[in-house]
């Protein structure tokens, strides 16, 4: 049986069902609370669209209505796919305005750690989305023959679906079933994009720290910031990793305390989650909360003219050094010194002659040893060193060994998972599978300074990834402890060890907390952080809210210097700036 001599009636309803399910698929896979039955619900946006196309067919304008409908389906589906990728990889919704700025970074990351499978997925999405839009336009036009006589019925179904969409709002923890609405989320995102765009020029025109001043320092302690990649609050929240990391930190606290180090710990709220480390770093250096790539890109040309943490410290007589061992010039990446550090340490400077250890290539222990010999020991000025460590960047594979003499690291053989990954990359096939659970647990044990660490309840794929992630975080913390042992406590020093953001793929949605450990050779240098809620020791408190935010580290460090030098505490933006 056909409708109006065209498409068979049942096919028209199949098109309706297919397109309805298509727009629900991203939600089914991971948005909100992922549930397989979400695909059996109603896509309010599409049902309203289908009713509109049906009415348009009745009035003789079915073709332009179907074309417009195809474009809307393409826009809605692309928006949902974008949100799905953002939530899955970074634990937060991306901003539409950011997409044009983030595309280059995504391509660079794909070339760094992507596999043939990843590339094929990207190609499938790029080709599939326009094809879905064209198919939707053609399918809706042909199906509108069947829909047109039922336009009132379709309109009633759309109204019912819209009414049912409010059920989920009555229970905040519920899934968006049986109805889901996409367009309001898109409008909200576009509105926020427009707000950010309009606010950028005002932000650029102002230098909020221009009036920040200290008198020349009589005492200038050495300053260090060590940013442990992806070191997030998640590692404490998951049972399989929480107990080992707490035990390890307490052991480090005891060992470093015996050498004369005082410590306090807390948490910082990062501006981003699951990725975009450069934005987290920029928030620390600028003292401004930078949450979006678009804002960062607009501000970047002005950083060297602003009074940022590096330029402020340089004005006080410090030599400022930034260490980014992964950075090397290659297609899509230029070496940049956005904040005008006095010295940069990039990949080529470190003269690494060994094998490639994961994404970061160079073991962090090698970089720390190189810094001691080439930067710290010859220095004739107080140093501010900021080192963004690389070992715990995805993909998480076995970390390098910790050796007595860092000069021998280049001769150390790669772990088996690195060898398998290199072979598979060479063959253009999928990347290596994670190390087995038993292997991961065994590796974690080598970073414990006391025997007897127990692991239990490990079994899921997520837990295996979590163990691989925890393994490299333990490595970096132990490497830093060894480095501080070498630096010693003869000179006054303030050290910050912190995460940049939560780990990708593992962290809870919209989770922004990262651990911060502050160590010093003099407890006076810790007083500012204690005043902000930090507690003694290396284990951060587990409160509802972090004790500080990334942008407040700049003023906190300045106030710490003022306390140590017996100067009045600067009151300009003590908690950072929220543009």
């Amino acid at each position: 049986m056909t409708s109006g001599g065209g498409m068979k009636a049942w096919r028209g309803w199949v098109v309706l069902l297919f397109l309805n399910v298509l727009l629900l698929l991203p939600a089914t896979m991971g948005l909100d609370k992922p549930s397989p039955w979400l695909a059996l619900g109603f896509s309010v946006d599409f049902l309203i669209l289908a009713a509109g196309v049906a009415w348009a067919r009745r009035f003789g304008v079915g073709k332009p209505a179907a074309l417009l409908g195809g474009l809307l389906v393409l826009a809605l589906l692309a928006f949902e796919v974008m949100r799905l990728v953002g939530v899955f990889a970074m634990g937060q919704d991306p901003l539409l305005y950011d997409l044009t700025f983030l595309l280059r970074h995504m391509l660079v990351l794909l070339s760094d750690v992507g596999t043939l499978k990843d590339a094929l997925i990207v190609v499938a999405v790029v080709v599939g989305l326009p094809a879905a839009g064209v198919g939707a336009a053609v399918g809706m036009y042909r199906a509108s023959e069947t829909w047109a006589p039922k336009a009132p019925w379709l309109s009633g179904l759309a109204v019912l679906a819209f009414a049912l969409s409010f059920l989920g709002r009555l229970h905040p923890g519920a899934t968006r079933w049986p109805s889901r609405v996409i367009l309001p989320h898109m409008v909200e995102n576009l509105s926020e994009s427009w707000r950010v765009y309009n606010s950028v020029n005002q932000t650029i025109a102002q230098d909020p720290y221009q009036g920040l001043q200290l008198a020349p320092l009589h005492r200038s302690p050495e300053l260090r910031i060590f940013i442990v990649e992806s070191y997030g609050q998640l590692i404490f929240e998951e049972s399989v990793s929480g107990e080992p990391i707490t035990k390890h930190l307490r052991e480090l606290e005891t060992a470093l305390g015996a050498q004369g180090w005082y410590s306090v710990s807390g948490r910082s709220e990062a501006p981003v989650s699951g990725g975009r480390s450069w934005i987290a770093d920029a928030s620390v250096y600028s003292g401004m909360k930078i949450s979006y790539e678009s804002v960062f890109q607009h501000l970047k040309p002005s950083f060297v003219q602003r009074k940022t943490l590096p330029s402020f410290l340089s004005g006080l007589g410090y030599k400022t050094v930034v260490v980014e061992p992964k950075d090397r010039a290659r297609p899509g990446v230029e070496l940049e010194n956005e904040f005008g550090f006095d010295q940069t340490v990039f990949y080529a400077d470190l003269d690494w002659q060994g094998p490639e250890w994961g994404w970061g290539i160079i073991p962090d222990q090698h970089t720390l040893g190189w810094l001691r010999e080439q930067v710290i020991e010859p220095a004739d000025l107080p140093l501010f060193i900021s080192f963004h460590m690389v070992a715990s960047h995805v993909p998480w594979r076995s970390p390098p060994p910790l050796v007595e003499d860092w000069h021998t690291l280049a001769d150390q053989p790669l772990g088996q998972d690195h060898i398998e990954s290199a072979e598979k990359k060479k063959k253009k096939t999928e990347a290596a599978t994670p190390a087995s659970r038993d292997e991961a647990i065994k590796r974690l044990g080598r970073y414990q300074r006391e025997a007897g660490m127990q692991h239990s309840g490990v079994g899921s794929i997520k837990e295996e990834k979590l163990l691989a992630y925890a393994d490299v975080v333990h490595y970096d913390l132990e490497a830093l402890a060894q480095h501080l042992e070498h630096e010693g406590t003869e000179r006054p020093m303030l050290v910050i060890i912190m995460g940049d953001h939560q780990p990708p793929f593992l962290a809870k949605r919209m989770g922004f907390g990262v651990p911060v450990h502050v160590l010093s050779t003099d407890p006076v240098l810790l007083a500012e952080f204690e005043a902000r809620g930090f507690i003694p020791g290396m284990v951060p408190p587990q409160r509802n809210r972090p004790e500080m935010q990334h942008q407040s580290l700049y003023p906190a460090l300045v106030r710490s210097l003022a306390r140590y030098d017996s100067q009045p505490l600067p009151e300009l933006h003590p908690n950072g700036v929220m543009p």
Side-chain angles (χ1 to χ4, degrees), residues 62 127 180 206 259 339 347 388 396 439 443 526 538:
V127 174
R180 178 173 176 78
Q206 299 174 349
Q259 299 163 34
F339 288 89
Y347 174 84
H388 196 119
W396 301 302
E439 289 172 344
R443 290 200 310 269
L526 303 180
M538 290 288 287

Side-chain angles (χ1 to χ4, degrees), residues 221-225 262-268 284 309 384 493-498 515-520 522-537 541 543 546-564 569 574-575:
E222 294 283 307
L223 298 176
R224 311 281 188 266
I225 296 180
Y262 301 88
S263 62
V264 295
S265 294
R267 292 175 302 153
S268 178
V284 170
L309 178 60
F384 165 57
M493 190 180 304
L494 178 63
V495 177
I496 310 290
I497 300 173
M498 64 184 296
V516 181
H517 313 290
V518 187
L519 300 100
S520 78
D522 189 327
V524 174
L525 286 166
L526 303 180
E528 177 65 26
F529 295 91
E530 290 180 298
R532 293 171 183 261
F534 281 51
I535 63 174
R543 302 183 178 121
E547 287 67 42
M548 67 186 304
Q549 296 181 318
H550 276 28
Q551 69 270 14
S552 58
L553 184 61
Y554 174 5
L557 281 173
V558 173
R559 288 166 65 90
S560 293
L561 292 177
R563 286 178 187 270
Y564 189 64
L569 300 184
N575 296 311

